[in-house]
């Protein structure tokens, strides 16, 4: 590969080489100029590459939504992530969505999902109130988006995409990568990314790399440098970042004494975001629930196998509102669902309310 400048522009000569900065593969000799067009703002889904970084902002909960005085301009989202460990229990889905759903949109991301018709099971749990608006699946990695019944008329656009970074599907059900849904609902542009990243404490740099790679590749085929950014970007899934620098017994002791705040400084995801490696400028609720991995299946007891794994917040929900969107956001809840014990992970659920200041929502 040869590079030179001419009249302030950078040219690259490539021979059967893939340059990540160019984006297209050229199987023959070619001459290509780097585009001077503005960067597509939907490209950077994790905030990587920004000049300054502030890490992940911890957001306090507001259980009483301050937007209740103007419900016509509020969009309420319920977001759930769960690593199912290949196990299926129909009653768990009812617990995930709640017996009396009080939200407009429901995004459910699943990792290590079993070979079952999950969409049908979820629809059965929501049959009275919601219908499926979109789904993105890649073997055991699945994402579903539900909206109020007959709300299809409010959808202007729905796109789905997926990108694999390794792992296995099929019977092992451990596909790594991400699936995503882009939707324009009532004029609100949203991207939901459900991911499953590499496991093990020492693979933190690999997880960082996977996040960046996924962010670069998702929706790259539809990339328009002049498109407007999404109002809201949500990442959910088994990100697999661990608690490290402290052994399992002290961690369990702090959890038992409900001293969770002393563990957040040992959380790899928060550390890497603080370094500016991933999720710069994203928000997350305070980690006030116990680490969601790893449990003995069928109980709420942490791993008692010979590995005695260190409990960790592997399962997360992060969101970012575009600063120029004219949207206020309130996080009403961020919790693990401890009563579900069919997997070695606990599901995590967030309730997010958006107030549209510049978008007219139908009554």
């Amino acid at each position: 590969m040869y590079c030179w400048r001419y009249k302030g522009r950078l040219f690259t000569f490539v021979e059967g080489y893939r340059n990540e900065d160019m984006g297209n593969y050229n199987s023959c000799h070619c001459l290509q100029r780097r585009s001077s067009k503005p960067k597509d703002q939907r490209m950077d889904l994790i905030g990587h590459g920004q000049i300054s970084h502030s890490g992940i902002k911890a957001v306090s909960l507001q259980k009483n939504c301050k937007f209740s005085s103007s419900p016509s301009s509020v969009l309420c989202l319920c977001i759930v992530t769960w690593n199912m460990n290949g196990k299926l229990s129909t009653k768990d889905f009812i617990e995930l969505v709640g017996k009396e759903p009080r939200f407009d949109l429901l995004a459910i991301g699943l990792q290590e999902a079993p070979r079952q018709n999950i969409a049908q099971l979820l629809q059965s749990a929501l049959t009275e109130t919601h219908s499926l608006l979109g789904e993105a699946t890649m073997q055991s990695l699945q994402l579903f988006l539900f909206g109020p019944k007959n709300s299809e008329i409010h959808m202007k656009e729905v796109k789905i995409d997926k990108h694999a970074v390794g792992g296995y599907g099929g019977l092992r059900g451990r596909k790594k990568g991400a699936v995503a849904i882009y939707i324009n609902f009532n004029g609100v542009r949203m991207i939901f990314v459900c991911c499953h990243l590499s496991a093990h404490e020492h693979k933190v740099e690999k997880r960082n790399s996977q996040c960046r790679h996924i962010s670069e590749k998702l929706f790259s085929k539809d990339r328009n440098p002049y498109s407007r950014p999404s109002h809201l970007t949500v990442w959910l899934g088994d990100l697999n970042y661990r608690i490290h620098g402290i052994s399992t017994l002290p961690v369990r002791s702090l959890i038992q004494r409900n001293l969770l705040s002393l563990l957040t400084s040992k959380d790899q995801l928060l550390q890497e975001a603080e370094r500016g490696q991933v999720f710069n400028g994203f928000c997350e609720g305070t980690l006030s629930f116990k680490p969601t991995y790893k449990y003995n299946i069928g109980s709420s007891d942490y791993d008692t196998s010979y590995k005695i794994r260190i409990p960790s917040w592997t399962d997360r929900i992060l969101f970012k509102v575009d600063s120029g969107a004219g949207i206020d956001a309130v996080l009403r809840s961020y919790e693990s669902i401890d009563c579900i014990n069919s997997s070695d992970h606990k599901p995590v659920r967030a309730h997010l309310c958006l107030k549209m200041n510049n978008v007219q929502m139908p009554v």
Side-chain angles (χ1 to χ4, degrees):
M1 180 175 66
Y2 308 93
C3 299
W4 69 94
R5 289 188 179 274
Y6 178 67
K7 292 184 178 181
R9 294 178 176 173
L10 180 65
F11 290 79
T12 307
F13 180 80
V14 184
E15 181 177 357
Y17 184 83
R18 177 175 174 81
N19 183 348
E20 294 296 339
D21 290 331
M22 290 169 55
N24 295 320
Y25 179 78
N26 300 278
S27 58
C28 59
H29 298 275
C30 64
L31 180 67
Q32 190 169 20
R33 185 187 70 194
R34 289 199 184 190
S35 173
S36 59
K37 295 179 180 179
K39 179 182 177 182
D40 177 9
Q41 298 184 64
R42 283 194 298 169
M43 171 191 288
D44 192 5
L45 300 181
I46 57 171
H48 178 68
Q50 298 179 16
I51 297 176
S52 62
H53 58 86
S54 55
I56 295 173
K57 178 183 178 181
V59 178
S60 299
L61 303 182
Q62 296 186 24
K63 294 187 178 181
N64 296 318
C65 182
K66 66 179 181 180
F67 305 145
S68 58
S69 59
S70 54
S72 62
S73 63
V74 175
L75 185 66
C76 289
L77 312 177
C78 180
I79 306 160
V80 179
T81 180
W82 185 26
N83 184 320
M84 299 181 67
N85 193 35
K87 308 296 190 299
L88 178 66
S89 174
T90 305
K91 67 178 183 178
D92 289 341
F93 287 120
I94 299 176
E95 192 66 43
L96 284 180
V97 302
K99 296 180 180 179
E100 297 181 3
R102 296 180 180 179
F103 45 77
D104 299 307
L105 296 181
L106 168 67
I108 293 187
L110 303 173
Q111 309 85 45
E112 299 188 23
R115 285 185 163 183
Q116 302 287 338
N117 191 337
I118 302 297
Q120 184 177 4
L121 293 172
L122 287 170
Q123 185 62 80
S124 297
L126 294 162
T127 185
E128 300 296 328
T129 58
H130 290 70
S131 58
L132 184 65
L133 301 181
E135 62 178 295
T137 61
M138 184 171 61
Q139 299 179 23
S140 59
L141 187 55
Q142 305 180 7
L143 175 63
F144 305 94
L145 186 63
F146 291 85
K149 281 198 167 185
N150 303 317
S151 63
E152 292 84 356
I153 59 174
H154 301 307
M155 290 193 310
K156 293 184 179 179
E157 188 178 19
V158 175
K159 295 179 182 179
I160 63 172
D161 203 1
K162 60 186 177 181
H163 184 71
V165 295
Y168 300 89
L171 294 176
R172 293 190 67 176
R174 294 176 182 174
K175 190 68 177 177
K176 299 299 192 296
V179 292
I181 296 177
Y182 168 85
I183 186 171
N184 185 328
F185 187 84
N186 279 338
V188 185
R189 300 183 299 275
M190 294 171 279
I191 290 180
F192 298 90
V193 181
C194 172
C195 67
H196 192 187
L197 306 181
S198 290
H200 307 302
E201 178 183 345
H202 66 279
K203 292 188 177 181
V204 60
E205 292 297 339
K206 185 173 184 179
R207 287 188 282 275
N208 292 347
S209 176
Q210 290 173 341
C211 279
R212 293 191 290 266
H213 198 66
I214 290 167
S215 176
E216 176 189 342
K217 297 301 180 182
L218 285 178
F219 300 111
S220 59
K221 295 179 181 179
D222 302 321
R223 192 161 292 159
N224 178 354
Y226 297 105
S227 64
R228 291 176 295 175
S230 296
H231 294 122
L232 174 71
T233 302
V234 178
W235 279 67
L236 59 150
D238 181 359
L239 277 65
N240 252 324
Y241 287 90
R242 308 300 176 96
I243 290 174
H244 80 124
I246 180 173
S247 60
T248 188
L249 293 181
V251 169
R252 296 180 187 215
S253 175
L254 290 172
I255 294 171
Q256 189 174 18
R257 291 183 286 160
N258 199 30
L259 297 175
L260 301 177
S261 61
L262 300 180
L263 289 176
T264 56
S265 64
K266 304 294 184 180
D267 179 73
Q268 288 179 335
L269 177 57
L270 297 180
Q271 290 177 341
E272 295 307 301
E274 186 67 26
R275 290 177 55 217
Q277 297 300 303
V278 290
F279 298 111
N280 186 35
F282 273 71
C283 297
E284 182 183 24
T286 303
L287 293 171
S288 58
F289 52 86
K290 296 189 296 183
T292 54
Y293 175 84
K294 176 181 175 145
Y295 286 87
N296 292 330
I297 295 175
S299 76
S300 289
D301 298 325
Y302 285 113
D303 181 28
T304 56
S305 72
Y306 72 97
K307 294 182 178 181
I308 319 178
R309 291 177 178 85
I310 300 173
S312 297
W313 286 291
T314 56
D315 311 277
R316 313 289 275 267
I317 299 172
L318 311 171
F319 66 94
K320 186 175 185 179
V321 177
D322 179 64
S323 58
I327 293 177
D328 294 325
V330 163
L331 187 63
R332 295 189 61 185
S333 66
Y334 189 44
E335 60 187 351
S336 63
I337 308 176
D338 293 339
C339 61
I340 292 179
N341 54 29
S342 56
S343 170
D344 55 355
H345 290 252
K346 297 297 184 183
V348 173
R349 180 171 57 199
H351 189 177
L352 182 67
C353 291
L354 306 177
K355 184 178 187 299
M356 325 310 298
N357 297 320
N358 299 329
V359 180
Q360 184 62 42
M361 304 276 286
V363 179

